[in-house]
Amino acid sequence: MNLSPVRTRLRSATALALLPVLALTACGSGDTSGTTPAGAQASPVPTDDPVAAVRTVDSVAALLPADVRRAGTLRVGSSVGFPPGAYYPNGQDKPPAGQDIDIADAVAKVLGVKLRRQDASFETILPALGSGKYDFGTGNFGVTTERLKTIDFVTYINDGQGFAVRTGNTALGKKVTDLLQLCGLTIGTGAGTTFEATLTARKGECTEAGRKPYDVKVYSENGATLTALQQGRIDVVMSTINGLRHQAAQPASRTTFLGEYHRLDVGFAFRKGSPLTKAFQAAVNELIEDGTYARILRKWGTSASAIDTSRTNPPEHT
């Protein structure tokens, strides 16, 4: 009896079941899987710790409200999903790692406070800020005109929107520069993201051009997005530039990055009118000035996304 077809199917099923570890978040929803696909080389966790040397800067800490200084803690709603932004390298029962984790921890040390990190799905964090559930949120939140109506941002990196396909799919060429390239295709993206908003707002452009509209499939977990791509249920993924680039560098993901589409400032998110923004902006700028910021970005391979100075509520990039 020839068992090789059975073994082939089992290997394929196993690979698809374990794909979520290579999934994305940021400007998109989070997936908290922490296992490694069978036969895949896990992304090594950088061992350097630029945050360890950060100390409280009294002049910056003094910008915090007095009640926060007395309490000594801040509650952060954190969307944790994938490297290099934020992920669980050793499982959800162990601390998360990533660029966003390091920057938030470094800011907290400058401010002389401890963070109480609460995991949350991406799409729930911004609404929860207004209710007071969190003092601030992290999750690679892109600064957009629409979000600025209800959210205050303190920027710490410049990332944005990009596309990826399954390796070997050459239908879109090497780069997506116009959404008309997507007409007639099925696009996967995260719930509550800038990607979903962009695709929804501009969906009619294909019809206006006399072409078949693209279809948008929204996923609450990015592992499901990647699985759908590999199974051929979607043709292309729209997600964060840094995440897609990092994912494409992992052979097990079998994806190809199609370049940057639209850059966005990314920032810590606060309820509108929060008294914390001045202190956070000063803390990020302190980290930029003393070199810690650059070391964090080098650690995670995101130096190309560095900003020169942190800003509060900058206008969306056009």
Side-chain angles (χ1 to χ4, degrees), residues 6-244:
V6 175
R7 292 192 183 105
T8 299
R9 287 196 297 272
L10 287 173
R11 282 196 298 268
S12 298
T14 300
L16 287 170
L18 292 172
L19 277 172
V21 70
L22 297 166
L24 303 175
T25 186
C27 296
S29 55
D31 177 271
T32 54
S33 176
T35 47
T36 303
Q41 179 69 37
S43 299
V45 180
T47 56
D48 52 320
D49 186 7
V51 180
V54 178
R55 298 291 181 265
T56 301
V57 178
D58 291 338
S59 59
V60 178
L63 298 174
L64 286 171
D67 59 334
V68 174
R69 295 200 304 274
R70 284 194 297 270
T73 60
L74 287 171
R75 299 160 300 160
V76 51
S78 181
S79 177
V80 180
F82 81 102
Y87 70 116
Y88 287 106
N90 301 305
Q92 293 184 53
D93 59 336
K94 300 293 191 301
Q99 163 200 277
D100 291 357
I101 303 298
D102 279 355
I103 294 176
D105 286 348
V107 165
K109 291 184 77 171
V110 170
L111 295 174
V113 297
K114 301 291 185 182
L115 296 184
R116 292 193 322 194
R117 186 171 279 110
Q118 301 176 41
D119 288 358
S121 60
F122 179 90
E123 66 270 25
T124 66
I125 293 175
L126 297 186
L129 293 173
S131 70
K133 183 175 182 178
Y134 312 121
D135 296 306
F136 71 103
T138 63
N140 212 71
F141 290 105
V143 180
T144 67
T145 301
E146 187 62 29
R147 285 177 175 168
L148 285 170
K149 295 176 182 177
T150 57
I151 299 294
D152 281 341
F153 288 95
V154 171
T155 62
Y156 61 85
I157 202 164
N158 181 262
D159 196 348
Q161 303 173 333
F163 293 92
V165 294
R166 184 170 50 181
T167 297
N169 182 349
T170 60
L172 290 171
K174 295 184 177 181
K175 189 171 184 179
V176 174
T177 59
D178 190 326
L179 293 187
L180 290 177
Q181 292 174 250
L182 306 176
C183 296
L185 300 180
T186 301
I187 309 157
T189 196
T193 63
T194 63
F195 319 116
E196 181 187 11
T198 296
L199 293 168
T200 301
R202 300 182 59 183
K203 192 172 184 178
E205 292 181 8
C206 289
T207 303
E208 293 169 3
R211 303 173 65 179
K212 182 180 178 181
Y214 53 72
D215 186 28
V216 181
K217 299 291 186 184
V218 177
Y219 298 88
S220 59
E221 292 186 356
N222 288 295
T225 310
L226 182 57
T227 300
L229 182 69
Q230 298 299 357
Q231 291 179 338
R233 289 184 281 115
I234 59 176
D235 302 299
V236 60
V237 173
M238 187 179 189
S239 191
T240 170
I241 292 168
N242 285 337
L244 289 174

